[in-house]
Amino acid sequence: MFYIPTALATDTLIFNASGHAIFKEEASKTTNVILEAYEIPQPALLVLPEKSFHHTIGNAHYENMYFTPGNVPYMYGRFFENNAEIKSVQYIDKVIVYTKSAVAAATIKIRFLRMNEYGCPSDDLLVAPIIAEVKRGTKKNLINVLKHNIKIPKNGIFVAVEWLMTENNQFRAANFVKGDQLFEDFRYQPDVMNNKVEKTASFRYMHGEWFPNDHFQPRNPNAPKEIVDPAIGLILSN
């Protein structure tokens, strides 16, 4: 159930949920929303007897650069190529995410997405959502996902963090008056660390669409433009 007091009758509402086709409809026509799930075949996990290999990719690390969406729905995803380096380790064992949280037990959703014909994130590889807890402070988070049998597609995979607009993630209430109304505003946690890179392979999901990370400029137009990826890495297994 949902209620959007600021929506205009002509606004378009966009619903995006793990394992379901994106649904768009005019606000004036939106009463009951039924999302259409698509089938996601799960491959069998191949483990050779007494030979379990692991390999880390992404070079995610501590760096004093953080990203937060503030108080709007947001996803931040990084692309991982399927190449010769990972030929023998095609399954995702753990997701590495570096975060900084000001709340004790924040939660994030991890999403695994295929690449579409335009090189952008598209369909989910899982129906069931993966919700991970993030502790207060600056942390390296290891999220176990091997049980989901996520095999990297031939043309690669996007791994995204989705911020959850839930009460446990709220931080720093800011009250302000507009006209005769009192508004309460929140930032949502956690912040996700950024790593400097030579060429970005990341996208941001906002306003119902995915945008390449290199399209965004610093708030200060005179500041040098830094090329970054979210500090997301993968530990792969056979």
Side-chain angles (χ1 to χ4, degrees):
M1 297 179 66
F2 62 92
Y3 175 60
I4 308 175
T6 56
L8 302 176
T10 54
D11 284 346
T12 298
L13 303 185
I14 301 172
F15 300 83
N16 185 327
S18 302
H20 294 76
I22 292 177
F23 181 81
K24 301 181 181 182
E25 192 164 66
E26 192 175 283
S28 62
K29 301 175 182 176
T30 307
T31 304
N32 295 317
V33 176
I34 299 174
L35 301 184
E36 184 180 344
Y38 45 78
E39 248 185 84
I40 304 174
Q42 297 300 309
L45 184 62
L46 173 64
V47 179
L48 303 179
E50 300 180 4
K51 290 185 180 180
S52 183
F53 302 109
H54 290 89
H55 181 63
T56 302
I57 60 173
N59 190 30
H61 56 276
Y62 286 107
E63 203 163 333
N64 193 27
M65 301 173 64
Y66 298 91
F67 176 81
T68 178
N71 57 5
V72 296
Y74 220 104
M75 280 189 276
Y76 199 4
R78 182 177 182 182
F79 179 71
F80 293 89
E81 185 182 4
N82 191 342
N83 54 26
E85 178 189 351
I86 62 171
K87 184 178 179 181
S88 60
V89 280
Q90 290 281 290
Y91 291 86
I92 302 177
D93 189 334
K94 295 178 178 67
V95 177
I96 305 167
V97 184
Y98 285 82
T99 59
K100 181 175 72 173
S101 180
V103 298
T107 48
I108 54 174
K109 182 188 286 187
I110 303 297
R111 292 178 70 165
F112 300 96
L113 306 157
R114 299 180 191 275
M115 183 174 71
N116 67 15
E117 58 188 302
Y118 306 107
C120 299
S122 65
D123 294 341
D124 289 274
L125 284 165
L126 288 179
V127 173
I130 296 177
I131 308 297
E133 185 176 286
V134 172
K135 301 295 185 183
R136 193 198 308 271
T138 301
K139 302 290 182 183
K140 175 184 179 180
N141 306 280
L142 292 174
I143 302 159
N144 295 304
V145 298
L146 188 62
K147 67 179 183 180
H148 296 285
N149 292 1
I150 305 159
K151 187 176 183 180
I152 298 182
K154 288 182 180 179
N155 61 350
I157 190 172
F158 283 94
V159 181
V161 170
E162 180 178 354
W163 276 267
L164 301 176
M165 306 289 103
T166 51
E167 189 174 348
N168 66 297
N169 290 334
Q170 290 178 349
F171 176 65
R172 287 185 188 165
N175 298 337
F176 63 95
V177 176
K178 187 176 181 181
D180 296 329
Q181 287 186 291
L182 174 67
F183 291 88
E184 288 188 336
D185 201 9
F186 297 91
R187 283 178 52 208
Y188 286 86
Q189 293 289 282
D191 296 347
V192 170
M193 196 173 290
N194 279 331
N195 293 154
K196 292 181 185 179
V197 293
E198 292 184 3
K199 183 179 180 182
T200 184
S202 302
F203 281 73
R204 302 183 193 183
Y205 182 87
M206 52 193 294
H207 312 306
E209 303 289 345
W210 287 100
F211 298 90
N213 204 29
D214 57 6
H215 282 202
F216 296 91
Q217 297 285 348
R219 290 185 180 180
N220 179 359
N222 298 317
K225 186 176 180 181
E226 293 178 320
I227 304 172
V228 297
D229 277 341
I232 300 173
L234 298 178
I235 298 176
L236 304 177
S237 175
N238 63 319

